[in-house]
Amino acid sequence: MPDATRHLTLANGLHLTLRHAPRLKRAAAALRVHAGSHDAPGRWPGLAHFLEHLFFLGTERFPLDDGLMRHVQALGGQVNASTRERTTDFFFEVPANALAGALERLCQMLAEPELGIARQRNEREVIHAEFIAWSRNLQAQRQFALLQAAAPGHPLSGFHAGNRYTLALQDPAFQQALKHFHQHFYQGGQITLSVCGPQSLDELERLSRQFASVFATGQRQPQHRPPALPGNTQARVFAHDGLPEGSEQALELLLSCLEDSRPGSWLGELRQRGWLQACKAETLYAHAGQLLWQVDLQLGQTACVDEAQRLLHGWFHFMRQASPAQLNLRFASLQQRREQAASALELARRDSTGKPFAALDAQGLRAFQQLLDGLPNSAYGQWHIPANDPLLCNDLPTAPATPLPDAMSVSDALPASRQHAELHLRWQIHSPLRQRLHAVLEQALAPLRERAEHASLQLDFATVGGYWHLRCAGLPGAVVRACEEAFEVLRSPAAESFTSVPPSAPPLIPIRALLKQLPDALHGLAPEVVAASPLDQGQLQHIWQHATWQGLATGFDEAGLDALAAALRRCPGWGVSARPLPPTLERRWQQAAMAGSEQALLLFYPLAPAEQGAGRLLAQLLQGPVYQRLRVELQLGYAVFSTFRQVEGVAGLLFGVQSPHAGHREIIGHIQDVLRQGVRLEPKTRQALAEQFVEAAMTNADVAHWAWQAYLGRQTDELNAVQRSILMTQQADLDTLLRHMLDADAAWLCLANAAQPSDSWH
């Protein structure tokens, strides 16, 4: 059944967009305020971003402990906000039956915030910690330099994030500007609220009217027109001024064509010449007929940059001659797939921008032609529109009834009716070349991975411990087709994959780098240095002759399993039914080498299977106190979290902190201080958490992840077992678990970007 939408304007001027999507299990809201950092007074850089932070600190009606952030987190949902140049967005996703409580808190915190000076002072330090991390991030600084060079004299070239020095809290003029910004922009006429879920349109409208009426009545305030963008000043950075309505959607169509790396396209030509390493095209700015976008291209050492530029201009020329109707027809198919695969949150956010997943209308096609007319072009190169991608086909490949290999397990945790399937394959590799040949295969899979992403599929090929791990997720038919192609690449990668230099990934901030290394760390492995020596197909063939695999499929019906069984005939390696045990963990400190000057660590406490109910409840009850103590009171940094996490089949409590000033020993001490304070179990908390572990309340991705982790941990994948475990947990169980975690001999893994302190401490 297709989605149904409704648009209306409330009495206070607020524009409402509603979407009834019966396939969804969750509900979401996205509220866009049509004002951002460029609308704040130039005297106070960062004022808009600062106000966004203040909203989340609680109100008189919903204090911090019961505010939107804690409320949504307690429901296992998602919540965040973003301040852009001309817009500020607030959004959340929750179980469908929890929409009312979250929507009420969102509207109330924005309409009636508490802006006391004490909380401003604390939050300014958080903003300053973000500023320090931003100033030390090489990728962020490159982006800032790009904008300064591409848009001199334009607000884009300025600093708008804010820090301790630009947010002059004691200046009465600053306080007046802060309150005026809120009153001027956070009113009905400036707001678009999009609400999406499986509820009927009437129910969505009733809830939205009830809670959005809290905003003051107002009209849309004109945003001052920015100065003109200069002409193109850098290679592959494109500026447009005076474009008609629909230009942002037109650019989306153009970028969908540009990012296609199959033969006949610009990227396909670069790849055929052996030049292409990576490419990302993205919009940097869009407002009032202005567009600034870039093509971030990474080329190999043998590439000719000038020739690549000429080829791009030649491709632009070809696109000007192509049939817009034909391109738009293909774009419609792509947008339909994106809508099918989108979550409630993704749909709500798209709706809040006024640009749902759809093909271009007549106005958009006119904007597309004008966009192309503004690009440099010359007749050069040989081009054609690539054929329709089979990954965009929804039907299953035809296959006779075929039994699955014994090595492939099937989970019923995710019903086939959800139209979301996942396949996990894991090969055990006994070879010192494991990591080096993984890099070869990852490079060889890059074209397929790009196509999969384009088709709203997730295709990952990772190395974890002593394994290679392939995961593919999306519509069942597309998953089978992607895996068929992946097996061919893994068996016989292109010859150039053995010699090409993989692109260097941008450095991650320390806490994200630690999270990426956590699975290997649980296996006791540190990242290896990849030596430079020749590799060839023969070495890979030798590995496949000795590699064994196991796997798990979920979300497939009988026809889908038949198609998968047929595809698995081409799976490299040998299927074996015996599964290895999950890693065991003793008390261990592991140092991770990485870029970045800030201190960061992950502290992971593993749990026994019998402790998982208590562990999930404890993690739920600790989220608020850890955040309050470490981030709000101690202001250790902006990256502070605590959560329950399953990694490599091992369940545990995970704490993470990145700080510009606190040392690793100090951070662990603060975490343990919070643990010593204990928690208090309320029956309603236990019941609310148990209700999250119902397939109908979980996202498809979360259900599939649960099934895979249960498979790795050799546990049942029945979610009702988790419910029972949570509901049986008592206060004494939590107290016992806390004492065990604080015991000097308790097992934990500390993954940090420094060596363990030499002195003895607990």
Side-chain angles (χ1 to χ4, degrees):
M1 183 183 298
D3 295 357
T5 58
R6 182 180 295 173
H7 302 271
L8 58 149
T9 301
L10 303 187
N12 59 4
L14 183 144
H15 182 70
L16 195 58
T17 299
L18 309 171
R19 178 184 291 267
H20 162 62
R23 67 174 177 82
L24 295 177
K25 299 190 287 183
R26 294 201 154 200
L31 188 148
R32 166 161 286 196
V33 178
H34 294 273
S37 57
H38 290 185
D39 299 293
R43 183 182 176 187
W44 314 113
L47 182 146
H49 181 214
F50 183 53
L51 182 61
E52 175 220 307
H53 274 237
L54 293 176
F55 286 126
F56 286 95
L57 299 183
T59 65
E60 182 178 354
R61 185 173 180 186
F62 295 109
L64 180 63
D65 286 345
D66 193 30
L68 180 68
M69 183 75 73
R70 301 279 178 85
H71 180 77
V72 172
Q73 289 175 341
L75 294 166
Q78 303 178 63
V79 58
N80 214 330
S82 172
T83 301
R84 297 284 300 174
E85 296 84 5
R86 292 300 189 141
T87 55
T88 308
D89 295 297
F90 302 85
F91 41 90
F92 66 77
E93 182 182 88
V94 292
N97 61 3
L99 176 61
L103 189 57
E104 181 180 16
R105 286 165 173 79
L106 171 65
C107 294
Q108 206 275 332
M109 80 180 197
L110 298 182
E112 301 174 358
E114 293 285 336
L115 302 178
I117 191 68
R119 62 177 57 193
Q120 286 190 40
R121 191 176 295 113
N122 287 339
E123 200 62 23
R124 182 176 64 175
E125 294 310 303
V126 174
I127 292 281
H128 192 71
E130 287 187 3
F131 164 72
I132 292 173
W134 173 83
S135 64
R136 294 172 176 173
N137 185 283
L138 182 60
Q139 190 177 13
Q141 292 309 300
R142 285 175 178 167
Q143 180 85 338
F144 186 53
L146 184 152
L147 291 174
Q148 286 184 309
H154 192 280
L156 274 172
S157 63
F159 170 72
H160 299 281
N163 59 30
R164 186 184 295 155
Y165 311 108
T166 69
L167 303 171
L169 307 187
Q170 303 305 320
D171 191 329
F174 175 84
Q175 293 298 329
Q176 183 178 1
L178 186 69
K179 292 175 182 176
H180 178 265
F181 189 88
H182 175 257
Q183 294 170 357
H184 192 65
F185 291 117
Y186 283 77
Q187 43 86 0
Q190 286 292 123
I191 294 173
T192 297
L193 173 61
S194 298
V195 185
C196 172
Q199 298 92 329
S200 69
L201 288 175
D202 289 343
E203 175 65 7
L204 295 175
E205 180 179 340
R206 184 187 68 80
L207 292 174
S208 301
R209 283 185 178 275
Q210 178 182 351
F211 300 122
S213 63
V214 71
F215 291 102
T217 300
Q219 296 180 340
R220 177 68 64 89
Q221 301 296 321
Q223 294 172 281
H224 62 271
R225 187 172 180 82
L229 281 170
N232 300 333
T233 57
Q234 300 184 57
R236 297 185 298 280
V237 177
F238 305 97
H240 307 262
D241 222 321
L243 289 174
E245 185 178 348
S247 57
E248 291 180 60
Q249 298 95 309
L251 179 59
E252 191 175 8
L253 167 55
L254 179 63
L255 296 188
S256 73
C257 298
L258 188 147
E259 292 175 334
D260 193 334
S261 61
R262 291 177 295 159
S265 68
W266 173 59
L267 291 182
E269 178 66 22
L270 298 183
R271 176 162 279 143
Q272 186 175 357
R273 297 182 183 215
W275 293 355
L276 180 64
Q277 289 195 325
C279 181
K280 181 181 180 181
E282 60 180 339
T283 304
L284 301 174
Y285 175 75
H287 178 69
Q290 294 186 340
L291 275 180
L292 184 70
W293 58 284
Q294 71 160 337
V295 179
D296 185 5
L297 183 67
Q298 293 185 47
L299 297 174
Q301 295 181 349
T302 62
C304 174
V305 176
D306 290 341
E307 176 68 3
Q309 189 81 347
R310 284 191 292 270
L311 289 167
L312 177 59
H313 294 175
W315 184 79
F316 286 153
H317 179 82
F318 166 75
M319 291 297 290
R320 291 179 66 180
Q321 317 305 316
S323 165
Q326 180 187 359
L327 296 174
N328 199 30
L329 188 63
R330 297 162 61 92
F331 187 55
S333 175
L334 179 63
Q335 292 287 71
Q336 183 182 34
R337 168 61 66 82
R338 289 171 173 171
E339 185 176 64
Q340 288 173 324
S343 66
L345 182 57
E346 290 167 332
L347 290 169
R349 294 199 68 186
R350 289 284 300 207
D351 287 343
S352 72
T353 68
K355 296 180 282 291
F357 293 109
L360 300 186
D361 57 15
Q363 174 59 37
L365 288 172
R366 287 191 290 271
F368 181 68
Q369 196 60 55
Q370 192 165 334
L371 177 68
L372 288 172
D373 291 342
L375 293 171
N377 71 93
S378 58
Y380 191 72
Q382 299 294 320
W383 314 103
H384 65 265
I385 303 296
N388 292 330
D389 194 332
L391 296 186
L392 284 172
C393 178
N394 292 339
D395 296 336
L396 285 163
T398 55
T402 308
L404 283 167
D406 292 340
M408 177 57 62
S409 299
V410 178
S411 169
D412 296 326
L414 187 63
S417 59
R418 300 301 185 192
Q419 284 296 293
H420 176 90
E422 290 207 9
L423 176 69
H424 290 266
L425 279 169
R426 179 165 282 198
W427 292 269
Q428 191 161 17
I429 307 297
H430 303 284
S431 170
L433 298 177
R434 174 179 53 83
Q435 289 206 7
R436 294 184 57 215
L437 280 170
H438 171 265
V440 169
L441 295 176
E442 192 174 32
Q443 180 83 341
L445 282 169
L448 178 59
R449 192 166 53 246
E450 292 165 5
R451 288 172 46 214
E453 183 178 0
H454 199 64
S456 298
L457 286 168
Q458 298 172 43
L459 181 69
D460 308 308
F461 184 64
T463 174
V464 183
Y467 306 95
W468 289 344
H469 183 182
L470 180 74
R471 169 182 173 265
C472 190
L475 286 171
V479 167
V480 173
R481 285 184 166 85
C483 289
E484 286 177 331
E485 293 194 38
F487 294 156
E488 295 306 313
V489 174
L490 293 174
R491 282 178 170 277
S492 302
E496 58 267 22
S497 303
F498 291 95
T499 56
S500 62
V501 179
S504 56
L508 300 171
I509 64 171
I511 196 71
R512 292 189 183 278
L514 291 177
L515 286 167
K516 186 176 181 180
Q517 294 185 29
L518 181 59
D520 268 350
L522 282 177
H523 285 279
L525 296 179
E528 298 177 9
V529 177
V530 178
S533 58
L535 295 170
D536 56 41
Q537 177 68 37
Q539 293 164 319
L540 177 62
Q541 187 64 32
H542 180 77
I543 278 187
W544 285 133
Q545 288 172 354
H546 298 85
T548 56
W549 65 264
Q550 301 90 29
L552 180 75
T554 188
F556 293 92
D557 59 14
E558 288 189 15
L561 291 175
D562 287 340
L564 179 60
L568 287 170
R569 293 175 181 173
R570 298 292 299 161
C571 179
W574 304 92
V576 294
S577 56
R579 281 182 271 165
L581 292 170
T584 56
L585 190 60
E586 298 177 348
R587 197 176 185 92
R588 187 172 83 248
W589 183 294
Q590 185 160 319
Q591 181 178 359
M594 63 186 63
S597 57
E598 295 192 355
Q599 294 85 6
L601 65 79
L602 298 176
L603 193 59
F604 184 78
Y605 288 90
L607 299 170
E611 298 175 316
Q612 287 198 32
R616 289 180 184 275
L617 261 174
L618 182 59
Q620 183 74 26
L621 294 167
L622 283 172
Q623 273 191 336
V626 168
Y627 184 90
Q628 175 68 25
R629 181 61 180 157
L630 273 63
R631 189 179 187 271
V632 178
E633 297 174 10
L634 296 173
Q635 298 173 3
L636 295 189
Y638 71 93
V640 173
F641 66 87
S642 62
T643 186
F644 179 92
R645 187 69 63 89
Q646 289 178 290
V647 187
E648 290 299 291
V650 181
L653 272 74
L654 179 65
F655 302 86
V657 178
Q658 178 176 323
S659 176
H661 54 80
H664 294 85
R665 175 177 176 173
E666 181 184 355
I667 292 170
I668 293 179
H670 288 312
I671 293 172
Q672 293 182 333
D673 285 344
V674 176
L675 298 181
R676 290 188 186 97
Q677 296 299 313
V679 296
R680 182 180 177 184
L681 176 60
E682 298 284 349
K684 63 179 182 180
T685 304
R686 180 174 52 204
Q687 183 65 36
L689 182 61
E691 289 175 356
Q692 294 176 26
F693 289 91
V694 180
E695 187 275 328
M698 299 170 67
T699 68
N700 294 330
D702 285 345
V703 176
H705 177 73
W706 158 254
W708 173 242
Q709 291 299 323
Y711 172 87
L712 290 178
R714 293 191 171 190
Q715 300 171 33
T716 175
D717 63 0
E718 295 180 2
L719 288 166
N720 58 8
V722 184
Q723 275 194 319
R724 291 194 301 269
S725 178
I726 293 170
L727 291 171
M728 292 173 60
T729 300
Q730 304 297 321
Q731 180 70 51
D733 300 314
L734 301 181
D735 296 340
T736 300
L737 182 54
L738 280 168
R739 285 195 300 270
H740 175 69
M741 291 170 64
L742 289 166
D743 189 276
D745 297 324
W748 53 247
L749 168 66
C750 183
L751 182 61
N753 59 350
Q756 182 175 356
S758 56
D759 53 336
S760 177
W761 57 281
H762 300 315

